[in-house]
Amino acid sequence: MQDAAKPHVLVLGGGFGGLWATRALASAPVRITLVDRTNHHLFQPLLYQVATAGLSAPDIAAPLRHILRRQANVTVRLDEALSIDLAARRVALAGGELEYDFLLVATGATHAYFGNDAWARHAPGLKTLEDALAIRSRVLSAFEAAEREPDPQAQRRWLEFVVIGGGPTGVELAGTLAEIARHTLPREFRRADVRSARVHLVEAGPRLLASMPPELSEKTRLQLRKLGVEVHTGQPVTAIDAEGVTMGGMRIESRTVLWAAGVAASPLGRQLGVPTDRAGRVPVAADLSLPGHPEVFVIGDLASVAQDGQPVPGVAPAAKQMGAHAANVIRDRLRGVAAKPFRYRDYGNLATIGRMAAVVHYGRLKLSGLLAWWFWLVAHLFFLIGFRNRIIVLVNWGWSYWTYQRHARIIVGRDPPDGEA
Amino acid sequence: MQDAAKPHVLVLGGGFGGLWATRALASAPVRITLVDRTNHHLFQPLLYQVATAGLSAPDIAAPLRHILRRQANVTVRLDEALSIDLAARRVALAGGELEYDFLLVATGATHAYFGNDAWARHAPGLKTLEDALAIRSRVLSAFEAAEREPDPQAQRRWLEFVVIGGGPTGVELAGTLAEIARHTLPREFRRADVRSARVHLVEAGPRLLASMPPELSEKTRLQLRKLGVEVHTGQPVTAIDAEGVTMGGMRIESRTVLWAAGVAASPLGRQLGVPTDRAGRVPVAADLSLPGHPEVFVIGDLASVAQDGQPVPGVAPAAKQMGAHAANVIRDRLRGVAAKPFRYRDYGNLATIGRMAAVVHYGRLKLSGLLAWWFWLVAHLFFLIGFRNRIIVLVNWGWSYWTYQRHARIIVGRDPPDGEA
């Protein structure tokens, strides 16, 4: 099925960047190998719903092989890239070696603790399905521990939740946790007063959703407050331990702290021979290729791209556009045509807050509340991969909407959360 | 909400036995504590579908608290029973101690390796959601490893699957694995010939489904063969290692071995002061109480009950009936009425084999093939707890039926299967 004489395009990472690049090369005269550490493409924008028990893991993930089954020029390989030899044009993987004619590095980003790696244990982040399932277990187990705990003070610590980071993920997590405590769980507990649970959203900067216009940040704060979230802005966290969070002069005693504050680019970026930026991202040429290596492209969250003096944001649409662009450059190159520079087209910015509340920003358009929420819902269903997933997610959302229930409230995994009996 | 003056019924285990007992005590003048190690009731008859990627974990599990939210006389507690003090009427839990007036021990069974505990590592069993997710990852990872493996002999070992145990679970697993290899995956792999995968079903006894009439065992064997399963009966396994299975003089080289052969009752049974049977089950009095302790009941898979010279089988309907019976005995006891002996009503026996094939046995009725499959499908949907789950499972089944796809083909968990690179 694959012609060994054709140039070999090696794509590292099956996220939005890598998958869109692969698809855009469907009819190109190349053979492609797509390598990912997992067997699935993950729809990250809905990952927080898996973490908060609204959706099951398979609802927002699809096997890469299944997505690409009809694209005959692709071989999908479950494997992990360990190192890149730019001179020899070769990548060492955990399960072997692969040579390439073109390399696309699209390994994304992970959460980062700004040098405080000890915090990871107490404040898990949210980037993979495993992370989401671990957070789901931790949150649900906290309510269970509260129900079991006879000492009121200890019980209180199980009913305090802290989300660190006021970006979209932090806002989504905090809003949904408040909903769970207020609407989903109360009548099911007999001893713990679940309604008294408090959700804190902590942001180091002056406002939530810093990439949005200030008025939408304010709307977000108000809507979160209505849901029962206590928002703390201008509060850089200075310590996290098993018993709580310290920020500035303030301390919150809590057994459940979630991290949505920082990301760092994949460590593979540091092997590309160019100085990376503070977050570990790789500065690229105008066509997204690596300076000095026109056969290597860096795309998605791992790439540092500036446009009109602004950095291109680390969001799904940007990754998809970079993937498609890198694919076009390869096609042009093979036909001997000069490559065009990448231009990011901003299709707007949206974040959901909770039940029927969201904010949308597109050019001069600024929406909040119910209309923004409908906009968010339709956009996310539309972009979700797989017709079946769309139906299932729609049924689940409808169900949650009417009943306030969240069907995936299943604690799986043998490790009890940190410090639990 | 709970009156401390009322007798306290402590139920250990939220499976079919414990949950049905709890529900049957809804209007009784008692306060109930239901303790389970997990936060959910699991619909075990469909567990093999989670293990084979047809359903998501939350589709077949519901939080115990949610199921019992309207039953005001119950407190649900996520905890683990460690030991029972019959004289003091007290149970030690991992998270505290509880006294009881009535105790229902319904902690079920787990898989057993007949003294060969070293096999557990190479041949995982299927009893919990964690087991199912681990098997799902192992099976899917085997196909991925085959695709990656350049050596044909090593690749072959990744394409051989062995299921040990010819009871309902073994038959279901083997039939579904064959379906996956033949219909679900082939066009998605480029290097491994997935259609050449072989599924072996190994049974020590002379026939499959020993609890069914011999003619249905034979029908099952024929239907499995049509699906591509190689059935080996009369073959007791003598060794299992990372590279395969030895039985009698025969050896199958395989990297993926699943255990569906033996169960052993919960270790809690051995603390009840009576000699247990070979499988660790507790012999009970006619009313299901523990001999010498009329306030303690043992129900479900943990109880050894004989009726008309036959053991009552370890199946969900038997556990439910025992649960309801123990509840009735408690009610009668509180009213000063003499307890009636337990009678098991056999509502028949059914097992599914694969796509549109099943066997049903009820009294003189013996069905196989498509009709039996419809019977199986309707019965399982009917008994599944939760209206939402029924809808979602029906959508998933319809989808799988038309497309041959299995939506939950997501490898989650960081541990690679045994021996994988």
Side-chain angles (χ1 to χ4, degrees), chain B residues 236-241 244-252:
Chain B
V237 168
T238 51
I240 307 176
D241 53 57
V245 177
T246 309
M247 43 200 194
M250 191 179 160
R251 168 88 180 166
I252 303 171

Side-chain angles (χ1 to χ4, degrees), chain A residues 53 56 136 140 405-412, chain B residues 14 16 19 38-47 50 55-67 127-130 132-133 383-390 392-393:
Chain A
S56 306
R136 186 177 85 187
L140 296 174
Q405 272 308 315
R406 306 185 72 79
H407 84 284
R409 281 171 43 206
I410 305 301
I411 300 176
V412 179
Chain B
F16 288 110
L19 182 56
T38 72
N39 78 328
H40 50 270
H41 171 72
L42 177 64
F43 191 70
Q44 272 192 349
L46 289 180
L47 195 56
V50 173
L55 294 174
S56 306
D59 294 344
I60 62 158
L64 284 163
R65 308 193 168 283
H66 184 64
I67 298 171
K127 270 286 170 188
T128 66
L129 276 180
E130 282 88 358
L133 296 176
F383 285 114
L384 194 60
I385 284 184
F387 181 63
R388 197 209 69 94
N389 285 355
R390 283 180 206 146
I392 296 281
V393 168

Side-chain angles (χ1 to χ4, degrees), chain A residues 160-211:
Chain A
E160 299 278 333
F161 295 83
V162 182
V163 178
I164 300 171
T169 301
V171 166
E172 285 158 356
L173 280 175
T176 316
L177 286 180
E179 221 179 287
I180 289 175
R182 292 214 164 175
H183 297 292
T184 307
L185 298 182
R187 61 189 302 189
E188 303 187 9
F189 286 76
R190 303 283 184 260
R191 295 168 51 189
D193 178 12
V194 171
R195 253 190 214 90
S196 77
R198 271 194 300 215
V199 179
H200 303 266
L201 179 60
V202 178
E203 165 60 36
R207 60 185 179 95
L208 301 175
L209 300 180
S211 62

